[in-house]
Amino acid sequence: MPLLSFEQFSLRFGSQLVLNEISLSIEKGEFIGLMGGIGSGKTSFLLSINGVIPKLVPAQTQGRVMLSGKEVSKHSVQSLSRDVAMVFQNPSDQLFSLTVEDEVAFGLRNQHLPQNVITERVTHALNDVGLSAFTARDPSSLSHGQKQKVAIASALALQTPLIVLDEPTSNLDFSSSVALYTLLEKLHADGNSILVVDHDTDLLSRYAKRFIVLYGQRVIADGDPSVFINGAAERAGLKVPCRMRGE
Amino acid sequence: MADSPLHKLSAVYALPAFVLLTISLVLFPLEYALAFLALLIPLYWISHLSLFQTLSHHRFLLVFAIVAFLFRLILTGQWPESVLSALYLTDLFLLSLLFWFTTTPAQLRDALHFYRVPRSLTFMFLLAFSALPLLQQQLQRVRIAQASRGNTRAVFPLLLPLLHSVFDRSRKLAISLESRGFQPE
C-alpha cells in the first residue's frame, strides 16, 4: 500500500481549474522534489494531502487522495496531523508560542500525549535541527533560518510517516539553504519520507531522489533527474541545474 | 525600565486589576474619565513609563478618540461631554497599553493557567497578545512603503494593506494550527 496516492484527482477554485486528473503514488522512505512554475498548483497539491483543501479552503474536487490507507476527504485535518506534518513557506506565519519548546510541543499536546513522551520527542526534534540550546528562547526573536528549523522541529516531533515542506528555502541565503537540505538528507537517511516543493532546482536536484513536475494543471514528468534534461523541466519554466548543463 | 514595581507584579494580580479597572471604566459615567486619568498618571509613574511618550508612539489610537469627540459633538453639540468621551477612550487605551507594557505574554499565560481559564481561551488571548507587536511592525512597513510613494497622510492606504496582512496571517496561522491537530474545545 502506498503512503500517499492521488487517484484521478482534480481541483477547481470556482471556474479556475488548478489540478487536472492527477494520478501518482508515493512510497514510504522516498525523498521527492515537487516542482512547477508560479501558479502551477504546487501549494494546492500540498494542501490537498492533509485535507486543508477543501475543508479549510473551499474548492471543488474530484477523484480522491489516500494517505496511509485513509481517504483524506473522510477525515478531519486534525486527525490527519498524525499522518502528515506540514512545514509552510514562511515560518513567521506559523510560529506563535512564547518559547521554542512550547512551539515544538504544540502538536504533541494536541494529541494528548503524556508529558514524559512530549519532553523526550521535543528534545530529540530540537537536537536533530541543532537548536537544543534554544528551548527557552522566544521564536519571534530568532533569525529566519532558525525559525524555519523550529517549524521543521515541530513537524519532526509529530513523528508522522510523511513530512511535507512548501518552498522552505524561499527566504534563506545559500548557506542556510544547503544546511536545511543537509538536514533533510539526514532525516531521509533516518527513514523519513519527505516531499519538498522548491524553485531552486540546483539544490533540489542534488538531494531529492525523485522529481515530479507540474505544468498546465497536470503532472508532465515524474521520475529520476532525467526530468531536467528531457525537456520537461524547461517546458514548465524551470531552470535546468547548472551541473546538468555542464556549467 | 523592566524592574519597576508594576513590571515585577505577578500577572496573577495584575490581570484581575486590569479587568476590574476596565469594567469600572466602562460602567462608570463619562464624568469619571478625568478621575481615571488622575489614577493612571501615578500608575505610569510607578511603572517608569512616560505617559506622553506612550501616547505619542501610539498616536494612531488617538484617531479613535478624535472620531468619538467629533461624533459626540455633532450629535449633542455639547463640548464638555464630547471632550470627556474622547478622554474616556484615551483612558481605555492608556490602561491597555500600561498592562501590555508591564506584562509579558509568558506572565499572562501563567496567570490564565492559574485562574483555570480553558486552554482554547488562553490560546486566543495569547494569539491576540502576540499579534500586537507584529501588527506594529507591519504598520511600520506599510507606512514606509506608502511614504516612499509620496503618501504620508492618507489613512485608508495604510489601513487596507494592514487589514489584508492581518487576515492573511490569520488564515495561514489557522491552517498551521489545524495541521498540527489543534481543535478548539
Side-chain angles (χ1 to χ4, degrees), chain A residues 22-37:
Chain A
I22 304 287
S23 291
L24 57 86
S25 62
I26 291 170
E27 302 296 331
K28 193 173 186 311
E30 287 197 275
F31 189 159
I32 297 170
L34 177 67
M35 303 169 296

Side-chain angles (χ1 to χ4, degrees), chain B residues 40-109:
Chain B
L40 284 167
I41 291 169
L43 285 177
Y44 266 78
W45 181 73
I46 293 169
S47 64
H48 303 175
L49 289 169
S50 160
L51 192 140
F52 291 108
Q53 258 182 21
T54 307
L55 266 184
S56 133
H57 287 160
H58 301 85
R59 54 185 175 272
F60 65 95
L61 290 173
L62 293 179
V63 172
F64 296 99
I66 293 166
V67 169
F69 167 77
L70 292 174
F71 199 66
R72 180 70 72 145
L73 188 65
I74 291 165
L75 283 183
T76 64
Q78 299 284 320
W79 276 90
E81 221 175 90
S82 309
V83 171
L84 282 175
S85 61
L87 192 60
Y88 163 82
L89 271 185
T90 310
D91 284 349
L92 207 56
F93 295 142
L94 282 171
L95 182 61
S96 307
L97 289 171
L98 181 69
F99 182 69
W100 183 25
F101 283 127
T102 54
T103 311
T104 64
Q107 287 173 324
L108 178 63
R109 176 198 57 195

Side-chain angles (χ1 to χ4, degrees), chain A residues 62-211:
Chain A
Q62 276 183 327
R64 64 177 187 170
V65 180
M66 300 290 290
L67 176 64
S68 301
K70 300 172 187 167
E71 192 172 339
V72 166
S73 63
K74 293 183 177 162
H75 293 80
S76 67
V77 176
Q78 289 89 350
S79 68
L80 291 167
S81 68
R82 291 167 192 266
D83 299 297
V84 59
M86 312 282 278
V87 177
F88 296 100
Q89 190 173 352
N90 185 357
S92 299
D93 288 332
Q94 52 191 312
L95 307 181
F96 64 93
S97 295
L98 305 176
T99 64
V100 167
E101 191 176 19
D102 279 350
E103 185 66 43
V104 179
F106 175 74
L108 304 173
R109 294 207 172 103
N110 290 328
Q111 292 182 12
H112 306 290
L113 294 173
Q115 186 53 45
N116 60 331
V117 175
I118 292 176
T119 308
E120 187 196 324
R121 285 211 205 170
V122 169
T123 308
H124 198 260
L126 285 174
N127 196 35
D128 276 347
V129 298
L131 289 182
S132 304
F134 290 72
T135 49
R137 286 279 296 272
D138 175 0
S140 64
S141 70
L142 302 178
S143 70
H144 193 87
Q146 288 167 333
K147 283 181 186 172
Q148 192 66 275
K149 284 183 176 178
V150 175
I152 292 173
S154 305
L156 281 181
L158 293 169
Q159 295 187 357
T160 54
L162 177 63
I163 301 170
V164 172
L165 301 99
D166 189 4
E167 301 193 30
T169 62
S170 61
N171 293 307
L172 298 182
D173 59 28
F174 180 70
S175 61
S176 304
S177 301
V178 170
L180 178 78
Y181 268 100
T182 308
L183 169 66
L184 294 180
E185 192 178 40
K186 177 180 168 287
L187 297 173
H188 177 236
D190 290 345
N192 291 290
S193 313
I194 294 166
L195 174 61
V196 189
V197 165
D198 209 330
H199 283 293
D200 190 335
T201 50
D202 282 310
L203 272 175
L204 199 58
S205 65
R206 204 190 297 173
Y207 292 93
K209 307 294 179 225
R210 177 182 162 193
F211 304 89

Side-chain angles (χ1 to χ4, degrees), chain B:
Chain B
M1 185 177 281
D3 60 356
S4 80
L6 275 192
H7 284 87
K8 283 180 189 164
L9 180 69
S10 165
V12 169
Y13 306 112
L15 180 64
F18 169 67
V19 172
L20 202 70
L21 280 173
T22 309
I23 291 172
S24 314
L25 193 54
V26 172
L27 293 181
F28 278 38
L30 269 185
E31 289 72 29
Y32 284 83
L34 208 56
F36 269 101
L37 186 62
L39 178 70
L40 284 167
I41 291 169
L43 285 177
Y44 266 78
W45 181 73
I46 293 169
S47 64
H48 303 175
L49 289 169
S50 160
L51 192 140
F52 291 108
Q53 258 182 21
T54 307
L55 266 184
S56 133
H57 287 160
H58 301 85
R59 54 185 175 272
F60 65 95
L61 290 173
L62 293 179
V63 172
F64 296 99
I66 293 166
V67 169
F69 167 77
L70 292 174
F71 199 66
R72 180 70 72 145
L73 188 65
I74 291 165
L75 283 183
T76 64
Q78 299 284 320
W79 276 90
E81 221 175 90
S82 309
V83 171
L84 282 175
S85 61
L87 192 60
Y88 163 82
L89 271 185
T90 310
D91 284 349
L92 207 56
F93 295 142
L94 282 171
L95 182 61
S96 307
L97 289 171
L98 181 69
F99 182 69
W100 183 25
F101 283 127
T102 54
T103 311
T104 64
Q107 287 173 324
L108 178 63
R109 176 198 57 195
D110 293 344
L112 293 170
H113 280 317
F114 179 84
Y115 290 112
R116 297 183 191 281
V117 174
R119 185 174 171 237
S120 52
L121 205 60
T122 304
F123 195 70
M124 200 179 71
F125 274 120
L126 287 178
L127 282 184
F129 214 68
S130 62
L132 291 173
L134 287 173
L135 254 177
Q136 263 193 324
Q137 283 171 17
Q138 188 59 27
L139 180 68
Q140 188 63 20
R141 270 191 222 117
V142 175
R143 193 177 278 157
I144 290 168
Q146 298 287 1
S148 64
R149 285 188 281 168
N151 170 34
T152 52
R153 289 272 166 208
V155 174
F156 271 112
L158 284 180
L159 280 181
L160 289 179
L162 188 66
L163 278 176
H164 179 265
S165 70
V166 166
F167 287 126
D168 190 47
R169 179 178 147 80
S170 312
R171 187 180 61 84
K172 286 175 177 163
L173 189 58
I175 289 175
S176 167
L177 296 181
E178 296 216 25
S179 297
R180 285 187 279 169
F182 178 68
Q183 205 147 23
E185 285 152 19

